[in-house]
Amino acid sequence: MPLLAVLITFTMRFSLLSLVALVVPLFVLVSRRSVLPFAGIGALIATGAVATGIGRGNAPPLVHGAAAPAAAISRADPTLPALVHIILDEHAGAESLPQSDPTSAATAKSLRSFYVSRGFRLFGRAYSQYSFTQASIGGILSFDSQPPSGASKSNHSRYFDELRRRGYVIHVVQSSFLDFCRKNQVASCITYDPGNIQVVRHSSLPAVARARLILLAYSRLGGVYRRLRERNVPLPEMNLEGSPLPLIVPTAARLFHDKLRRAQPGNAYFIHLLLPHNPAARRPDCSLKPVGEWMNDLGSMDKRQAAYLDQVHCTLRVVGANYAAVSAATGGNFAMIVHGDHGSRLVDRLPDLSTMDSFNDRDLISAFGTLFAVRAPGIPRGYDRTPCAASALLAAVARTELARNRSFRLSCPPPSVRFGTSDWRVVRSRALPRSWTDD
C-alpha cells in the first residue's frame, strides 16, 4: 500500500502519458515480460508524432538573435585587444574533479597542460560561492561575495559595465535559462533554447533514438522516477534521460566559434555554454554517444563520474577550437577568460540549507570547486594553487587587463561558500575544508 500511495501522489501531478510511461516499466519488471512490444508501440507513437508535427504547436525557435548595429560596432576602442569570455556550466577545477574515478588524475593533468601551454594562468583551487547558476554567475559578474539581490534569471552586471567603460563592445551568446542581455547594454545577443525538443526532429539520430527522447521528454518519466527514488522506492537503476540539451549545445558553440573567426579589437565575445553540464552524452572526441548511454543524476556514481570526465575532455576540444579561431583572427592580440559557474555537483548529497548536517567534505568540493583560467597581458602563465573565489579572480583580472598598466594582484576572501533560501532572506556560510585549501 505505501508504494501505491506514492505512485498515486506523483502520477496525479503529471500527465496521463507520465502514468503510462511509469506503469509500463514497472509492469515489465514485475511480470518479467519483454519490453520490446511496449518499446515498439512507444517508438511508433512518438515517431508518428514527430513526422506529423503533433505537439509542435507554436514552439519557439531553437536559436534567435539580432545582428549588432553598425553604430555600436563603431564605438569599439581599436586599441583594446579582443576579449573572449567563456562560462562553462558544471565545470570542476583541476583539484575538484571526481577523485574516485581512476582517470581523474590524468584529466587534471590534461587541464593543466592544455591551459598553461596556451599562455593561461590556471587556478586549480578556484571555487564559486554558490552552487546554483543564477546566484553563482550573478555574483561572479558583479565581483561580489554577497548574495545577488533576488538571484534572478536576468541581472545587471558590474563586469559588463566595466567592459563598456573601457571601450569594449559586447556580443553575447546565451541560453534561455539565464539572460545577460536584457539588463545590460550589449551590441548583439544570440539566445539558444536548451530545452526545445524540436531539435530532435532535425538531428541525425536513428528514428528509434529520436522517438525515445521525445517520449521521455513529453512524459517527464525521468522526473517521476527521480522523485520515487528520493522517497526510497526500491527501483532499479534506469537511464531515463530525455533532455535534448546535447543536441543544441553544438549549435551554440558553432555560432560562437563563427563570431571568433571574425574577432576584432575592442570587441568582447561572451558565451554561457552548457558544457560539461549533464546529461553527459559526448565522448572525449566530442562524438555523440548512443542515447541509451547518456548519463545524468539517475545513474550510479561510478558511471556518472566516468561520463562526466569524458565530457570534460570534449569541452577542452571546444575551448581549443575557440582559442585557435580568435588567435588566427587577431594575430594573437586577444585576452581570454574561461571559468565555470560552480562545481560538477557529482555528490552523494547536494550541499544546501536542508543538508547542512549531512553532506561531507567531498560533496562540498564537488559542488563548489570550479574552473578558472585567464590569458591576458600582465598575467603570467602558470598553475596557481591559491584557493580563491571566482568573483575575486574576475575582479583581479578586470583590474589588471582593463586598466592595462596595473600588475596582477589577488585579493581573495577567506575560503567559504554560502547557502540560502530562494529569496536569500536566510543565508548561512560554511568554510571550505582545510584539507583542500591548506595542503
Side-chain angles (χ1 to χ4, degrees), residues 56-288:
R56 189 181 340 177
N58 296 316
L62 302 177
V63 176
H64 60 88
I73 296 176
S74 68
R75 291 196 298 269
D77 182 346
T79 67
L80 292 171
L83 174 64
V84 180
H85 190 150
I86 302 174
I87 299 182
L88 299 168
D89 210 291
E90 291 189 356
H91 201 307
E95 297 191 37
S96 51
L97 290 167
Q99 294 300 301
S100 58
D101 189 280
T103 66
S104 182
T107 302
K109 184 178 180 180
S110 294
L111 286 174
R112 291 193 296 268
S113 174
F114 175 89
Y115 284 105
V116 174
S117 68
R118 288 165 174 79
F120 286 82
R121 190 166 190 82
L122 175 64
F123 294 85
R125 295 182 179 184
Y127 61 91
S128 62
Q129 291 178 296
Y130 311 96
S131 64
F132 66 96
T133 299
Q134 292 168 234
S136 63
I137 293 182
I140 291 169
L141 296 184
S142 293
F143 315 137
D144 192 358
S145 62
Q146 297 303 312
S149 177
S152 72
K153 292 190 176 183
S154 177
N155 284 316
H156 177 257
S157 165
R158 287 176 56 194
Y159 173 65
F160 281 11
D161 285 347
E162 182 67 11
L163 290 180
R164 288 194 309 276
R165 187 180 70 82
R166 296 304 306 175
Y168 277 102
V169 166
I170 305 169
H171 307 271
V172 172
V173 177
Q174 63 180 13
S175 78
S176 56
F177 177 73
L178 198 58
D179 188 353
F180 301 96
C181 299
R182 187 165 66 89
K183 294 185 178 180
N184 295 290
Q185 296 177 29
V186 300
S188 68
C189 183
I190 294 175
T191 303
Y192 64 97
D193 181 0
N196 192 327
I197 197 66
Q198 297 305 314
V199 70
V200 179
R201 297 180 63 249
H202 306 292
S203 74
S204 60
L205 291 174
V208 173
R210 281 183 282 149
R212 170 188 173 133
L213 281 177
I214 292 168
L215 185 63
L216 288 172
Y218 278 112
S219 69
R220 299 182 181 178
L221 179 57
V224 177
Y225 179 81
R226 182 180 293 106
R227 287 169 175 79
L228 288 172
R229 292 193 70 178
E230 287 174 354
R231 296 206 174 199
N232 298 317
V233 176
L235 295 175
E237 179 184 326
M238 298 173 68
N239 187 341
L240 300 175
E241 179 54 57
S243 170
L245 176 63
L247 302 177
I248 189 64
V249 163
T251 299
R254 176 179 55 78
L255 290 170
F256 190 66
H257 182 264
D258 289 346
K259 283 183 174 291
L260 297 187
R261 291 175 59 194
R262 303 184 298 273
Q264 299 177 25
N267 283 255
Y269 304 91
F270 176 96
I271 186 172
H272 176 208
L273 189 63
L274 297 178
L275 269 179
H277 192 285
N278 81 83
R282 298 279 169 181
R283 299 184 182 93
D285 65 359
C286 287
S287 60
L288 192 64

Side-chain angles (χ1 to χ4, degrees), residues 23-58:
V23 169
V24 166
L26 290 178
F27 174 74
V28 170
L29 288 171
V30 172
S31 64
R32 297 184 180 180
R33 296 191 181 187
S34 172
V35 73
L36 293 178
F38 299 101
I41 293 171
L44 181 63
I45 294 172
T47 303
V50 174
T52 59
I54 294 173
R56 189 181 340 177
N58 296 316

Side-chain angles (χ1 to χ4, degrees), residues 223-396:
V224 177
Y225 179 81
R226 182 180 293 106
R227 287 169 175 79
L228 288 172
R229 292 193 70 178
E230 287 174 354
R231 296 206 174 199
N232 298 317
V233 176
L235 295 175
E237 179 184 326
M238 298 173 68
N239 187 341
L240 300 175
E241 179 54 57
S243 170
L245 176 63
L247 302 177
I248 189 64
V249 163
T251 299
R254 176 179 55 78
L255 290 170
F256 190 66
H257 182 264
D258 289 346
K259 283 183 174 291
L260 297 187
R261 291 175 59 194
R262 303 184 298 273
Q264 299 177 25
N267 283 255
Y269 304 91
F270 176 96
I271 186 172
H272 176 208
L273 189 63
L274 297 178
L275 269 179
H277 192 285
N278 81 83
R282 298 279 169 181
R283 299 184 182 93
D285 65 359
C286 287
S287 60
L288 192 64
K289 296 177 180 179
V291 171
E293 296 178 18
W294 294 11
M295 190 60 56
N296 65 7
D297 59 356
L298 297 178
S300 68
M301 183 60 73
D302 287 348
K303 291 180 180 178
R304 289 170 62 194
Q305 289 182 354
Y308 174 82
L309 293 174
D310 281 350
Q311 198 139 286
V312 167
H313 283 281
C314 169
T315 304
L316 276 179
R317 293 175 68 94
V318 173
V319 175
N322 288 330
Y323 174 91
V326 70
S327 182
T330 64
N333 182 30
F334 69 97
M336 190 166 180
I337 304 166
V338 185
H339 65 84
D341 60 341
H342 48 64
S344 66
R345 298 197 292 202
L346 291 170
V347 298
D348 293 319
R349 191 174 293 273
L350 185 64
D352 60 28
L353 283 178
S354 66
T355 61
M356 289 287 288
D357 298 324
S358 56
F359 62 77
N360 58 39
D361 287 353
R362 194 64 241 168
D363 291 335
L364 204 61
I365 299 307
S366 295
F368 294 91
T370 196
L371 176 77
F372 199 102
V374 55
R375 175 196 188 275
I379 301 179
R381 76 167 69 197
Y383 185 68
D384 195 321
R385 302 189 73 209
T386 304
C388 199
S391 57
L393 288 169
L394 187 60

